[in-house]
Structure formats: structure tokens, C-alpha cells
């Protein structure tokens, strides 16, 4: 297990606002950003569009995420291919993976439904870890609000897996890296 790196990831899923019982569906984007805990630097990033097997990308989903159906149709790959790529490029089961909230559960559920292997063993819920810090008084906050508390300015469009994973890695650096290495960036 490599304890010198954390692989932050973010999922975007098919979503609707038309009154369905389930408001989200299959994964359509996985953003990944790897943080070197020794230097506090993000050393690798990736964006993967996932072609859903059953769901469609709704106009609401496009408005929220910026992900257009034609982009996923053109650039998307099956989840199995994406997970193998992430495992090869980011170290898979030899690294610690982290997300804001329960993206691990979402990924595991979809992997189970599609008979796929989850690409990691170790997972950190950074939302829970952030909220455990003594200076955090509001225990019901999102990633963007957490970044404000940490003094890290949000960069890019929210609800893009690629951008959200990058910002999460920047937030993780404030939680796990020495201040000296942060200043070296």
C-alpha cells in the first residue's frame, strides 16, 4: 500500500428532476486527481466519460454538469474499460482512494450490478474527515463550503468530475500535507 499518495475521485451520474423516485442513475463521468502527500502537489489528473448502458443524459443533467449526450457518445467508454485504465494509471489497489461523501458506495453498487471489480481497497470519505476537525462547527456542508473554511478558492465549474476531483485534491492537501510543502507549490 502506498501511503504517500491519495487518489481523489469524483463521480457524475445521470440525473433527473422530473419526480422520479431515484434522482440519479448510471455513472457518466469519473474525474481523478492524485495528490503526493510529501510535496502537497497534484501529480496526475484524468477525466473519463462513461457511456451508460441503460440511462440517458437528460437536459437537466446537461445543465447541471455541462456533460452533453453527444460528448459521452463520442468520447465515452464502458465503465469496465475506464476502471481498468484508472487502475493502470493510478495504482488501483495499491493506493488510497478518496472522495467527498459516499462516491465509493455509488461506484461499488454499479460495479456489483455490472459484475466489475472495484479498482480500490482503501477508501477515505473526506467529508467525514473534514467535519471531524475541531475548527469545523457546521457539520452539514458541501465540498465548496469546506474549501472556503480551509481558505482554498474553488477553481472551475462545479459538478464536473474532473474539476471536482482536482478541487478535492487541493482540499486534501490542506488536511494532510505540511504547510511548508503547500508553500512550495
Amino acid at each position: 500500500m502506498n501511503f504517500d499518495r491519495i487518489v481523489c475521485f469524483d463521480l457524475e451520474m445521470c440525473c433527473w428532476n422530473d419526480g422520479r423516485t431515484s434522482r440519479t442513475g448510471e455513472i457518466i463521468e469519473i474525474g481523478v486527481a492524485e495528490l503526493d502527500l510529501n510535496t502537497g502537489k497534484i501529480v496526475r489528473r484524468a477525466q473519463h466519460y462513461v457511456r451508460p448502458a441503460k440511462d440517458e443524459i437528460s437536459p437537466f443533467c446537461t445543465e447541471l454538469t455541462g456533460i452533453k449526450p453527444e460528448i459521452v457518445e463520442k468520447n465515452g467508454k464502458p465503465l469496465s474499460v475506464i476502471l481498468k485504465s484508472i487502475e493502470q494509471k493510478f495504482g488501483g489497489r495499491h493506493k488510497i482512494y478518496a472522495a467527498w461523501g459516499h462516491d465509493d458506495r455509488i461506484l461499488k453498487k454499479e460495479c456489483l450490478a455490472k459484475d466489475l471489480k472495484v479498482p480500490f481497497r482503501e477508501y477515505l470519505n473526506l467529508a467525514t474527515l473534514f467535519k471531524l476537525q475541531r475548527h469545523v462547527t457546521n457539520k452539514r456542508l458541501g465540498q465548496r463550503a469546506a474549501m472556503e473554511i480551509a481558505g482554498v478558492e474553488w477553481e472551475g465549474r462545479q459538478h464536473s468530475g474532473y474539476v471536482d476531483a482536482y478541487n478535492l485534491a487541493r482540499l486534501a492537501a490542506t488536511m494532510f500535507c505540511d504547510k511548508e510543502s503547500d508553500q512550495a507549490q
Side-chain angles (χ1 to χ4, degrees), residues 9 11 27 30 48 50 77-90 92 97 107-108 110-112 114-120:
F9 71 97
L11 307 176
I27 297 166
I30 302 176
H48 298 281
V50 182
K77 294 181 175 62
L79 183 60
S80 60
V81 173
I82 300 301
L83 294 179
K84 284 179 186 172
S85 175
I86 290 171
E87 196 166 2
Q88 289 172 347
K89 292 178 183 169
F90 290 90
Y97 281 66
L107 183 60
K108 286 176 183 177
E110 193 160 329
C111 285
L112 182 63
K114 294 179 177 178
D115 198 28
L116 302 172
K117 184 175 82 169
V118 177
F120 55 83

Side-chain angles (χ1 to χ4, degrees), residues 11-170:
L11 307 176
E12 299 300 328
M13 287 83 62
C14 290
C15 52
W16 308 272
N17 66 344
D18 59 6
R20 296 178 197 207
T21 304
S22 175
R23 294 181 7 189
T24 60
E26 288 180 272
I27 297 166
I28 56 172
E29 181 193 13
I30 302 176
V32 187
E34 185 172 355
L35 173 67
D36 183 318
L37 296 173
N38 294 315
T39 66
K41 293 183 179 181
I42 297 166
V43 294
R44 190 174 316 160
R45 293 175 71 186
Q47 178 179 38
H48 298 281
Y49 289 112
V50 182
R51 192 174 300 130
K54 298 176 185 171
D55 288 334
E56 293 180 17
I57 299 170
S58 70
F60 170 75
C61 188
T62 296
E63 184 180 323
L64 180 68
T65 65
I67 301 170
K68 297 177 181 175
E70 56 270 16
I71 291 173
V72 173
E73 185 61 36
K74 180 180 178 186
N75 300 312
K77 294 181 175 62
L79 183 60
S80 60
V81 173
I82 300 301
L83 294 179
K84 284 179 186 172
S85 175
I86 290 171
E87 196 166 2
Q88 289 172 347
K89 292 178 183 169
F90 290 90
R93 297 177 177 276
H94 303 290
K95 298 268 179 74
I96 299 169
Y97 281 66
W100 187 264
H102 300 289
D103 280 13
D104 65 317
R105 291 182 191 169
I106 295 165
L107 183 60
K108 286 176 183 177
K109 183 179 176 184
E110 193 160 329
C111 285
L112 182 63
K114 294 179 177 178
D115 198 28
L116 302 172
K117 184 175 82 169
V118 177
F120 55 83
R121 272 193 204 115
E122 297 290 330
Y123 174 78
L124 299 175
N125 179 336
L126 293 184
T128 299
L129 293 175
F130 187 85
K131 293 170 191 177
L132 287 173
Q133 296 177 94
R134 292 187 201 277
H135 71 279
V136 179
T137 56
N138 180 0
K139 302 302 180 187
R140 295 192 56 144
L141 51 88
Q143 179 181 335
R144 193 167 187 154
M147 290 182 67
E148 287 177 24
I149 291 169
V152 180
E153 189 174 329
W154 188 274
E155 292 182 17
R157 179 195 173 110
Q158 194 170 6
H159 299 298
S160 157
Y162 183 68
V163 170
D164 291 357
Y166 169 72
N167 281 309
L168 185 60
R170 294 173 61 231

